[in-house]
């Protein structure tokens, strides 16, 4: 490696060579993969179909991985197009979630706002006055448009409340007192007993414990009642004593989804 | 006791005043459709100019006076004729209610996404808005009538077309943006 500008140049070149040696991807293959992803999202957005977060994350990983190998401007433009698609898909996903909790009149108001803010109205000072002609005024007052939700507001409210209740049921909002917590702790410890001081796969843990038990486990680790150490990429060791603790330990948060119980 | 304001005498540019008055007028044609501003040929005759270039040179002078007020002169064509009118530069609310704006948005969405025709059938709108429980039939009919009266749409044989006002107030890019928004919200 040289010094100064030359040095940097050489370093960059070396980096490129190593990259291509490890995982050689031909440029045509990069373009093909990127096109595949771009088209997939564009079709879904056009047809109002939602692509799950998990799938989107996988695609994002592929794009991130390929990003290092982009060489020409065309591929970079394609990359920007895909990122734009990711954003649009996220927006579509958000709208679908929000729409569940909005009644129709609110949606009408939102659409009205979107149209209103984009209009550059014609200005009229003279001539045929649309609203103030007596004949038309009579016609308008006799058939005034009343918002629909005035008649059916109770139905909309009931619907909204029902949806909210369903939502609450889904995320299990039941309260837990101290006795419950103690019994839950015992249950969790009983289940974990055969696995103490042994490497256990994170996946096994997620099958073994429910959401609440995992939550309790997380609290016990936080309160130093139990000690957990990450070993490798996908396994951890749970212990009752801090025997593996050293100054070099790094703390890391692991999110585990529990079994549905 | 009454008092009067004594202002300094102002020299009134009569041609300019008349032009602004005529450009900001609205009127109804024999077929009932609403038009805004003034027809190009009539303006040429009134100003005694022969070509469009010399007419536009005159209008540029008016434009300079209007710009500080946030207004601009636009030329638009509708059904084979050309008109000049005044519109705002910035997005401000017009005289429509929220429901009317929303229905206009849905009409824009249907027409912009239809690649074969430049209209949307009333039945299609009814399916989206009435069957979708956004409006009742009475509201829907009334709103369509109002939109037609204000010059935003034109109805012929059960089909709804853009009126001149929609084309002037919402340019192509904005109509596409509205169509995208409506598509995301109207499932």
């Amino acid at each position: 490696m040289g010094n100064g500008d030359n040095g940097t140049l050489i370093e960059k070149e070396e980096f490129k060579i190593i990259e291509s040696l490890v995982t050689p991807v031909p440029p045509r293959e990069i373009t093909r993969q990127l096109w595949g992803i771009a088209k997939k999202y564009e079709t879904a957005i056009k047809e109002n179909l939602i692509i799950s977060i998990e799938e989107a994350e996988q695609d994002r990983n592929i794009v991130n991985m390929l990003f290092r190998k982009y060489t020409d401007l065309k591929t970079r433009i394609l990359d920007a197009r895909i990122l734009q698609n990711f954003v649009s898909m996220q927006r579509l996903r958000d709208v679908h979630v929000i729409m569940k909790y909005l009644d129709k009149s609110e949606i009408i108001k939102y659409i009205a706002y979107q149209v209103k803010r984009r209009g550059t109205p014609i200005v009229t000072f003279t001539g045929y006055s649309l609203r103030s002609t007596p004949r038309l005024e009579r016609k308008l007052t006799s058939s005034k448009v009343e918002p629909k939700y005035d008649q059916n507001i109770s139905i909309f409210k009931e619907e909204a409340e029902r949806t909210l209740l369903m939502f609450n049921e889904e995320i299990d909002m039941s309260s837990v007192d101290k006795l419950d917590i103690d019994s839950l702790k015992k249950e969790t410890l009983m289940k974990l007993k055969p696995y103490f001081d042994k490497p256990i796969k994170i996946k096994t843990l997620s099958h073994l414990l429910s959401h609440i038990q995992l939550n309790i486990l997380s609290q016990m680790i936080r309160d130093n009642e139990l000690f957990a150490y990450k070993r490798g990429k996908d396994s951890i060791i749970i212990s009752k004593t801090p025997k593996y603790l050293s100054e070099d330990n790094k703390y890391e948060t692991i999110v585990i989804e529990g079994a549905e119980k | 006791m009454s008092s009067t304001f004594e202002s300094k005498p102002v020299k009134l540019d009569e041609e300019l005043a008349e032009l602004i008055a005529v450009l900001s007028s609205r009127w109804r044609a024999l077929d009932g459709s609403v038009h805004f501003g003034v027809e190009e040929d009539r303006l040429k005759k009134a100003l005694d100019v022969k070509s469009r270039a010399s007419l536009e040179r005159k209008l540029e002078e008016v434009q300079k006076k209007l710009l500080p007020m946030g207004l601009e002169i636009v030329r638009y064509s509708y059904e084979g004729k050309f008109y000049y009118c005044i519109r705002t530069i910035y997005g401000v609310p017009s005289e429509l209610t929220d429901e009317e704006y929303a229905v206009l948005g849905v009409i824009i969405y249907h027409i912009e996404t239809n690649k074969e025709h430049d209209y949307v059938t009333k039945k299609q709108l009814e399916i989206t808005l009435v069957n979708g429980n956004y409006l009742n039939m009475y509201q829907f009919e009334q709103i369509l009538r109002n939109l037609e009266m204000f010059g935003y749409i034109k109805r012929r044989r059960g089909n709804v077309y853009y009126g001149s006002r929609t084309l002037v107030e919402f340019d192509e890019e904005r109509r596409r943006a509205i169509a995208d928004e409506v598509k995301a919200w109207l499932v």
Side-chain angles (χ1 to χ4, degrees), chain A:
Chain A
M1 206 194 301
N3 291 324
D5 285 344
N6 274 342
T8 324
L9 199 69
I10 293 162
E11 195 178 26
K12 270 186 185 171
E13 277 171 6
E14 278 173 1
F15 175 74
K16 267 189 184 173
I17 292 161
I18 290 164
E19 272 291 298
S20 63
L21 279 176
V22 175
T23 45
V25 182
R28 189 178 284 181
E29 178 60 20
I30 294 178
T31 320
R32 197 189 62 78
Q33 284 197 24
L34 290 179
W35 261 114
I37 295 171
K39 278 286 148 199
K40 180 172 136 190
Y41 280 82
E42 273 160 25
T43 319
I45 290 164
K46 206 174 169 187
E47 289 169 8
N48 251 353
L49 296 172
I50 304 290
I51 292 175
S52 68
I53 295 177
E54 199 181 348
E55 200 178 335
E57 280 307 309
Q58 280 170 6
D59 292 335
R60 201 189 288 272
N61 279 342
I62 294 172
V63 177
N64 283 350
M65 204 178 70
L66 291 176
F67 179 75
R68 293 178 190 178
K69 299 176 177 67
Y70 295 168
T71 45
D72 57 343
L73 185 65
K74 200 176 153 192
T75 339
R76 284 178 187 274
I77 292 171
L78 195 55
D79 174 62
R81 187 168 158 181
I82 292 171
L83 291 180
Q84 172 76 32
N85 288 341
F86 282 148
V87 173
S88 304
M89 179 49 69
Q90 183 57 43
R91 211 168 157 265
L92 195 67
R93 218 177 275 134
D94 290 348
V95 167
H96 269 254
V97 172
I98 294 166
M99 287 235 328
K100 282 185 194 168
Y101 307 103
L102 285 182
D103 68 38
K104 305 270 178 177
S105 63
E106 282 170 307
I107 294 171
I108 285 282
K109 280 212 172 101
Y110 184 80
I111 293 173
Y113 166 71
Q114 292 299 334
V115 180
K116 207 185 287 181
R117 65 189 275 260
R118 286 184 170 84
T120 47
I122 290 173
V123 177
T124 50
F125 303 133
T126 57
Y128 195 90
S129 175
L130 293 172
R131 286 269 192 207
S132 62
T133 307
R135 185 177 62 83
L136 286 170
E137 221 170 35
R138 224 176 19 250
K139 199 169 146 196
L140 279 174
T141 43
S142 63
S143 54
K144 203 180 162 219
V145 175
E146 292 293 335
K148 186 173 180 179
Y149 52 83
D150 272 5
Q151 298 163 9
N152 298 326
I153 193 149
S154 55
I155 299 172
F156 278 125
K157 278 207 162 167
E158 272 170 30
E159 261 179 30
E161 274 165 16
R162 259 205 310 277
T163 333
L164 244 161
L165 273 174
M166 272 165 62
F167 179 67
N168 283 349
E169 276 167 18
E170 269 172 31
I171 58 165
D172 199 359
M173 299 282 277
S174 54
S175 59
V176 188
D177 58 22
K178 200 175 176 309
L179 276 173
D180 285 342
I181 290 175
D182 287 343
S183 69
L184 273 168
K185 271 186 184 174
K186 269 183 198 167
E187 249 178 60
T188 316
L189 285 173
M190 280 296 285
K191 278 194 177 175
L192 284 175
K193 206 174 174 182
Y195 301 97
F196 278 139
D197 296 319
K198 290 175 195 163
I200 172 172
K201 284 205 167 180
I202 293 170
K203 264 191 186 170
T204 322
L205 204 61
S206 107
H207 291 306
L208 190 70
L209 302 176
S210 69
H211 289 296
I212 298 173
Q213 286 164 343
L214 276 172
N215 209 343
I216 292 288
L217 175 65
S218 171
Q219 283 178 30
M220 285 167 84
I221 293 167
R222 184 198 64 192
D223 299 337
N224 286 341
E225 290 173 36
L226 283 178
F227 300 89
Y229 309 95
K230 197 173 172 199
R231 211 184 117 149
K233 217 177 181 185
D234 48 5
S235 60
I236 53 172
I237 300 173
I238 296 171
S239 170
K240 279 188 170 180
T241 48
K243 50 183 136 185
Y244 303 99
L245 202 67
S246 77
E247 283 177 4
D248 300 334
N249 278 345
K250 286 177 187 169
Y251 292 94
E252 198 175 333
T253 308
I254 306 168
V255 180
I256 311 167
E257 277 210 36
E260 284 185 14
K261 282 174 190 174

Side-chain angles (χ1 to χ4, degrees), chain B residues 29-131:
Chain B
L30 282 175
D31 65 350
S33 55
V34 186
H35 293 270
F36 300 88
V38 62
E39 208 182 303
E40 189 181 29
D41 291 342
R42 293 179 71 181
L43 198 58
K44 271 188 202 166
K45 213 173 166 185
L47 292 171
D48 198 18
V49 288
K50 292 273 183 310
S51 65
R52 182 180 290 165
S54 47
L55 174 67
E56 292 199 341
R57 264 199 301 279
K58 284 213 170 207
L59 289 177
E60 265 173 30
E61 291 301 311
V62 187
Q63 172 84 74
K64 275 180 198 163
K65 309 255 167 156
L66 284 174
L67 264 177
M69 290 192 273
L71 304 172
E72 64 176 350
I73 297 174
V74 283
R75 176 170 178 270
Y76 69 94
S77 71
Y78 194 67
E79 295 184 334
K81 285 182 180 171
F82 289 96
Y83 301 87
Y84 287 92
C85 74
I86 299 176
R87 75 169 177 197
T88 58
I89 296 171
Y90 305 102
V92 292
S94 168
E95 57 196 326
L96 299 182
T97 62
D98 276 356
E99 283 82 9
E100 286 161 354
Y101 264 124
V103 173
L104 182 64
V106 175
I107 291 169
I108 290 174
Y109 159 65
H110 276 293
I111 297 182
E112 289 302 314
T113 48
N114 191 341
K115 282 175 187 164
E116 289 171 15
H117 308 291
D118 58 347
Y119 62 79
V120 52
T121 60
K122 197 181 154 198
K123 193 75 200 160
Q124 269 178 293
L125 291 174
E126 197 184 312
I127 290 168
T128 315
L129 292 160
V130 182
N131 297 7

Side-chain angles (χ1 to χ4, degrees), chain B residues 1-12:
Chain B
M1 223 176 117
S2 65
S3 64
T4 53
F5 290 101
E6 279 190 25
S7 58
K8 285 178 187 170
V10 180
K11 197 188 167 195
L12 186 71

